[in-house]
Amino acid sequence: MAEETQGSTNQDLGTSPSRINNPRIRHEISRAIVWVAVVGTVALAVWIARPLLVIFGAMVFASMIDGGARLLGRALSIRRSWRVAIVLAATVSFMLWLGYFAGSTISQEAAQFPAIVERQLGELFAWARAQGFQIDQSQLQNYLGNIGSGISTVTKALGGILGSAATMLLIVVIGIYVAVDPQLYERGVAWMLPREQRDRFYVTTARMGQTMRRLMAGRLLGMVVEALFTYLMLAVVAPLIGIGVVPMAALLAILTGLLAFVPNLGAIISGALMVLVGFSGGVEMGIYTIFVYFFVQNFDGYIVIPMIAKKTVDLAPALVLAFQLIMGILFGILGLFLADPLLAMIKVALERRAEQADENTSGEAVGHGA
């Protein structure tokens, strides 16, 4: 009888072993659940970061194909699949030309390139020791080797994924599928979202796609401009002013163009290589290569990039450099190449988030005013 009375009392009070009536305890449990969810999300993101980066690389490649297909659409009234095929055929043709027709000359220059760089570094160390700097070349080489092994250790787990041809092939294949019919995948993602959020999702993805296309178009334009100007200054202008053709002009131009895909760091690496090769032909040629480096970088930085930045995301150079260093350490060369596009997408997402917050605030203000 007493047990029945106690049960009825508990029912009246609305208590049960699975229910917590204390608001403070419920609040603390809710906070703990939020922290567990955050930690779990971070752990999941770290665990799947590598395949996500590969997928993002495919999206970047798809945006480049999509930009070319849209550009062709202004002149050719044909199906999108045919325009995508034309862009891919043009890309493959260019790569074949670069490999077969220019490969013989560039391969000969590339074989001599390490020896020239090593010799110039040795001369630089000798000059520094003559000026009173205590530099031991063997110790410096050991330091460089330790740095290289450290970077190798960090990126060892990614070597089999991001450094293989299979990964690049996967990026290309996924990118082609997405570029052929991007709306199909966009609708698939939107279908998994709540109905009230789909319109915002479409607006955000449209803005991200437009920004990515313009960013990649600007990047490709900058690569072409830097490679072309570097070759003209090293192989055409230099003989006209009596300096002579700078050794490995074609190789230096291609390296400058390729490294231009990575802002800031790419320019520093290509400039250092250009100056080292230039001083192998004498002091006058070395000074001239320094001038070429600053001329090309200033032309690209003050004329080409500002024109592109007006129509795309204007990112702070220090922020881009810091993000490149982080992505390079975590994910190797692929992370370094994708750092700038990823940062641009993060900025677009944050801008859209701020716009939505302003819209909600203004809507609440109008509601209160009514």
Side-chain angles (χ1 to χ4, degrees), residues 238-258:
L240 294 179
I241 61 178
I243 295 178
V245 178
V246 177
M248 308 178 184
L251 179 61
L252 290 173
I254 292 176
L255 288 176
T256 301
L258 293 177

Side-chain angles (χ1 to χ4, degrees), residues 138-345:
S138 61
Q139 291 183 359
L140 185 60
Q141 290 176 349
N142 291 332
Y143 294 149
L144 293 176
N146 292 334
I147 294 174
S149 62
I151 296 176
S152 176
T153 302
V154 173
T155 60
K156 183 178 180 181
L158 301 169
I161 298 177
L162 304 182
S164 62
T167 301
M168 300 307 299
L169 180 61
L170 187 61
I171 289 176
V172 170
V173 171
I174 296 176
I176 292 174
Y177 276 119
V178 174
V180 170
D181 191 3
Q183 287 78 16
L184 174 64
Y185 303 96
E186 186 178 1
R187 290 194 302 267
V189 176
W191 179 79
M192 295 186 291
L193 298 175
R195 189 179 298 274
E196 62 274 9
Q197 297 183 6
R198 292 177 186 177
D199 291 337
R200 294 180 177 180
F201 169 77
Y202 284 125
V203 174
T204 303
T205 53
R207 188 172 298 182
M208 283 185 171
Q210 184 181 36
T211 301
M212 182 68 76
R213 289 192 299 271
R214 290 179 173 179
L215 182 66
M216 291 298 102
R219 191 61 48 79
L220 293 175
L221 178 62
M223 294 169 65
V224 172
V225 168
E226 290 197 23
L228 182 61
F229 269 78
T230 300
Y231 182 77
L232 291 176
M233 296 294 291
L234 298 180
V236 179
V237 178
L240 294 179
I241 61 178
I243 295 178
V245 178
V246 177
M248 308 178 184
L251 179 61
L252 290 173
I254 292 176
L255 288 176
T256 301
L258 293 177
L259 291 172
F261 190 85
V262 184
N264 303 323
L265 290 178
I268 295 173
I269 297 173
S270 62
L273 296 175
M274 186 189 305
V275 172
L276 285 174
V277 174
F279 274 100
S280 67
V283 177
E284 186 178 9
M285 184 176 290
I287 296 175
Y288 176 75
T289 54
I290 296 176
F291 165 76
V292 170
Y293 168 73
F294 282 106
F295 172 78
V296 172
Q297 296 302 324
N298 283 310
F299 180 83
D300 187 60
Y302 290 101
I303 297 179
V304 178
I305 291 180
M307 290 192 306
I308 298 170
K310 291 179 181 178
K311 296 184 177 181
T312 184
V313 180
D314 191 10
L315 298 173
L319 182 62
V320 174
L321 182 59
F323 199 66
Q324 285 174 350
L325 292 175
I326 294 173
M327 292 292 292
I329 292 175
L330 292 178
F331 302 107
I333 188 66
L334 185 59
L336 186 64
F337 273 73
L338 296 179
D340 196 33
L342 181 58
L343 185 61
M345 294 301 98

